[in-house]
Amino acid sequence: MSMAGEMTVTLRLPTRTLFEGQATRLTAVAPNGAFGILPNHVDFVTALVPSVMTLRLVDGSEDIFGLDEGLLVKKGHSVCVIALRGVQGDDLGSLQDTVEESFVQMDEEERQARSALSRLEADMVRRFAELQRPLP
């Protein structure tokens, strides 16, 4: 592998790609603590815990992301991050507000979906029970 000054970073969520671009540095948090990756870092895979991930872009600016649990795979000059939920923020203060708003709404939507699924399952069980009753 040749020496590189940048790496391709892709941040994917279940429904969309949140970020795809070039970066010179990435920091994130694994179950055993925070870590950083530079373009020529050794290849590896790690789990991610709910935390903040930062990217130093090629132009010197920094992107900040609030992530739920996920997985990071570094291979060659590419890094792929997959997370259950994620949001992009301008700074840490606004990121906290954005995370709270987005994740609380997602939690409410998940609760509603689970409730609807429970009702469907109960109805299905009730209908199967009706099918098993002998006809008069």
Side-chain angles (χ1 to χ4, degrees):
M1 180 168 68
S2 63
M3 297 298 280
E6 58 191 47
M7 57 192 163
T8 303
V9 178
T10 306
L11 173 54
R12 291 191 173 112
L13 304 177
T15 57
R16 65 189 174 103
T17 299
L18 185 59
F19 176 86
E20 188 164 11
Q22 298 297 112
T24 58
R25 184 182 73 207
L26 176 148
T27 59
V29 182
N32 58 345
F35 64 94
I37 297 176
L38 297 173
N40 298 300
H41 194 284
V42 65
D43 295 349
F44 75 102
V45 176
T46 187
L48 298 175
V49 297
S51 60
V52 173
M53 180 181 84
T54 61
L55 294 175
R56 172 75 61 183
L57 303 180
V58 183
D59 64 3
S61 64
E62 194 169 80
D63 275 354
I64 303 171
F65 301 90
L67 301 180
D68 200 348
E69 58 189 19
L71 185 69
L72 180 141
V73 177
K74 160 74 169 72
K75 182 177 182 204
H77 298 299
S78 315
V79 178
C80 185
V81 177
I82 298 134
L84 290 176
R85 299 183 282 194
V87 293
Q88 187 170 5
D90 296 325
D91 57 49
L92 288 176
S94 67
L95 181 64
Q96 181 176 355
D97 296 337
T98 306
V99 165
E100 287 175 0
E101 290 171 15
S102 298
F103 287 12
V104 165
Q105 179 169 346
M106 287 180 198
D107 287 341
E108 177 62 22
E109 290 170 359
E110 286 178 10
R111 187 193 61 73
Q112 290 175 354
R114 285 190 182 109
S115 176
L117 184 59
S118 293
R119 286 191 304 274
L120 287 172
E121 289 172 346
D123 186 54
M124 186 175 68
V125 168
R126 182 182 54 79
R127 289 179 187 256
F128 275 127
E130 287 175 2
L131 286 174
Q132 291 181 347
R133 280 191 231 146
L135 292 173

